[in-house]
Amino acid sequence: MDRSDLERLTKEELIDLVLRMQRPDKTSRTSSKPPSSDRKARRDRAKPGGAKAGHKGHSRAMSEDAD
């Protein structure tokens, strides 16, 4: 939404928009959402998974007489 869109709104619509923007995000504590839908705080600080940089990969050797 840019400035021209905002200029077209009525006073009541602007008030509703401002009030909607001031509401806190819905979580399981502030609404009827289940706790499983909340974003986990630790997930933001977690280290990325997978092999570390510089790690030499390894795999099993192929058999000469595969079935």
Side-chain angles (χ1 to χ4, degrees), residues 8-23:
R8 285 188 220 126
L9 295 176
T10 65
K11 184 177 180 179
E12 291 82 22
E13 290 171 330
L14 283 172
I15 291 171
D16 288 340
L17 180 64
V18 170
L19 291 175
R20 235 183 300 137
M21 291 175 68
Q22 290 178 342
R23 287 187 198 135

Side-chain angles (χ1 to χ4, degrees), residues 6-56:
L6 292 174
E7 288 173 349
R8 285 188 220 126
L9 295 176
T10 65
K11 184 177 180 179
E12 291 82 22
E13 290 171 330
L14 283 172
I15 291 171
D16 288 340
L17 180 64
V18 170
L19 291 175
R20 235 183 300 137
M21 291 175 68
Q22 290 178 342
R23 287 187 198 135
D25 292 337
K26 288 188 176 183
T27 65
S28 61
R29 291 180 180 208
T30 61
S31 70
S32 60
K33 288 176 54 174
S36 60
S37 67
D38 287 344
R39 177 113 175 112
K40 305 293 185 231
R42 280 183 274 151
R43 195 173 291 165
D44 295 335
R45 294 176 288 165
K47 294 180 183 176
K52 304 304 176 210
H55 176 76
K56 182 182 177 199

